């Protein structure tokens, strides 16, 4: 008995569903495999020399830190954005924090550091750096910008920082990824979630969140949600008017906001 039009349409529909499902699963697999290339954009180091570099004592990688040495108890550790050469940010901080030794970490794969970046590897490297700096400088300000804000808040939740400064911070990277990839199960695919909100409630030192008024990357609502997770009285928030995500450091209010209250 020849197939009817209805049965042919049914088979076509099933085949179409199978093809679409296979394509969707392939996209999910690609997103899972290549996700870190969508998060991290390693940059070469443009400034500095061997005299201004510190190599961390780590077994599985050579992690470099751009340094401005200074005697005394005060130091500042800086963690940059996902596409930032932190060596370029050091001169501005050197002028704004003249009485602090400065340590700007180049994530694995960035600025001459070996290895590949991941949330857990960066977190371990950050703790190693803090412990090394703390041996000579007991008063440490921890600063994190954009991606680095997640590194900084996690570090400050487990190490005795004196102060925490978060520039264009987010509630979690998972939240941002889910916003960008709405049709994918980001919760199950994402390996590096940078859940800053999990660590915020453990912070007891004075903290300032510095947001850009026109941040086109991290919504103000994400920063506000992170702010709500800090204990009452611990954190304050400042919005720099007219600034965007990448231009915030160009504002004359930027270093004023970072140094306010020191």
């Amino acid at each position: 008995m020849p197939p009817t039009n209805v049965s042919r349409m049914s088979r076509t529909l099933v085949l179409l569903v199978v093809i679409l499902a296979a394509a969707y699963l392939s996209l999910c697999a690609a997103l899972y495999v290549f996700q870190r290339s969508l998060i991290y954009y390693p940059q070469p180091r443009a400034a500095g020399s061997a005299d201004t570099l510190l190599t961390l004592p780590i077994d599985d990688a050579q992690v470099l830190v751009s340094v401005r040495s200074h005697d005394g108890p005060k130091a500042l550790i800086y963690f940059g954005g996902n596409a930032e050469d932190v060596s370029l940010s050091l001169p501005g901080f050197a002028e704004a924090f003249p009485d602090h030794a400065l340590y700007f970490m180049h994530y694995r794969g960035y600025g001459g550091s070996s290895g590949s970046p991941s949330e857990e590897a960066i977190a371990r490297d950050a703790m190693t750096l803090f412990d090394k700096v703390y041996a000579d400088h007991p008063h440490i300000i921890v600063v994190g910008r954009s991606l680095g804000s997640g590194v900084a808040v996690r570090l400050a939740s487990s190490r005795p920082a004196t102060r925490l400064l978060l520039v264009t911070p987010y509630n979690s990277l998972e939240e941002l990824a889910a916003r960008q990839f709405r049709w994918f199960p980001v919760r199950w695919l994402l390996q590096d979630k940078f859940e800053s909100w999990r660590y915020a409630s453990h912070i007891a030192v004075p903290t300032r969140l510095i947001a850009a008024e026109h941040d086109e990357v991290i919504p103000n609502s994400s920063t506000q949600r992170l702010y709500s997770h800090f204990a009452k009285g611990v954190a304050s928030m400042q919005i720099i008017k007219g600034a965007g995500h990448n231009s915030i450091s160009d504002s004359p209010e930027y270093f004023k906001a970072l140094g306010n209250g020191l």
Side-chain angles (χ1 to χ4, degrees), residues 2 12 43 46-47 59 61 65 80 85 166 177 188 236:
T12 301
Q43 302 296 312
D59 293 334
V65 182
D85 170 15
L166 304 176
W188 308 110
S236 61

Side-chain angles (χ1 to χ4, degrees), residues 8-204:
R8 279 197 294 267
M9 288 178 61
S10 297
R11 287 198 297 269
T12 301
L13 182 59
V14 169
L15 179 61
L16 179 61
V17 169
V18 169
I19 291 172
L20 290 175
Y24 178 77
L25 291 174
S26 296
L27 288 172
C28 287
L31 189 60
Y32 180 80
V33 172
F34 298 109
Q35 60 181 277
R36 286 189 172 128
S37 67
L38 300 174
I39 298 173
Y40 307 103
Y41 297 90
Q43 302 296 312
R45 188 179 67 256
S49 64
D51 295 335
T52 59
L53 286 175
L54 166 72
T55 301
L56 291 183
I58 296 170
D59 293 334
D60 62 337
Q62 176 179 274
V63 176
L64 302 179
V65 182
S66 287
V67 175
R68 195 284 300 272
S69 299
H70 190 278
D71 293 333
K74 297 180 180 180
L76 182 150
I77 297 176
Y78 178 86
F79 303 103
N82 69 334
E84 182 178 352
D85 170 15
V86 296
S87 70
L88 297 177
S89 298
L90 197 148
F93 277 83
E95 184 177 346
F97 296 87
D99 58 346
H100 287 69
L102 304 179
Y103 297 84
F104 286 41
M105 192 175 85
H106 298 274
Y107 304 139
R108 297 182 184 216
Y110 289 68
S113 294
S114 66
S116 299
S118 70
E119 180 181 4
E120 292 307 313
I122 293 173
R124 291 195 304 270
D125 297 344
M127 288 188 283
T128 299
L129 175 58
F130 186 97
D131 294 343
K132 184 172 182 61
V133 173
Y134 190 69
D136 297 317
H137 308 282
H139 301 290
I140 301 176
I141 298 173
V142 175
V143 183
R145 178 174 178 175
S146 192
L147 178 76
S149 67
V151 182
V153 71
R154 179 171 177 175
L155 176 64
S157 73
S158 62
R159 290 296 189 271
T162 301
R163 190 175 180 85
L164 177 62
L165 301 173
L166 304 176
V167 180
T168 59
Y170 48 84
N171 197 42
S172 77
L173 190 63
E174 177 186 345
E175 177 185 277
L176 298 179
R179 179 172 172 262
Q180 186 171 356
F181 299 96
R182 299 178 186 276
W183 303 106
F184 294 93
V186 168
R187 178 181 179 185
W188 308 110
L189 296 174
L190 194 63
Q191 298 177 71
D192 296 353
K193 298 185 177 183
F194 286 97
E195 296 175 311
S196 297
W197 62 271
R198 287 189 180 275
Y199 305 101
S201 61
H202 301 288
I203 302 297

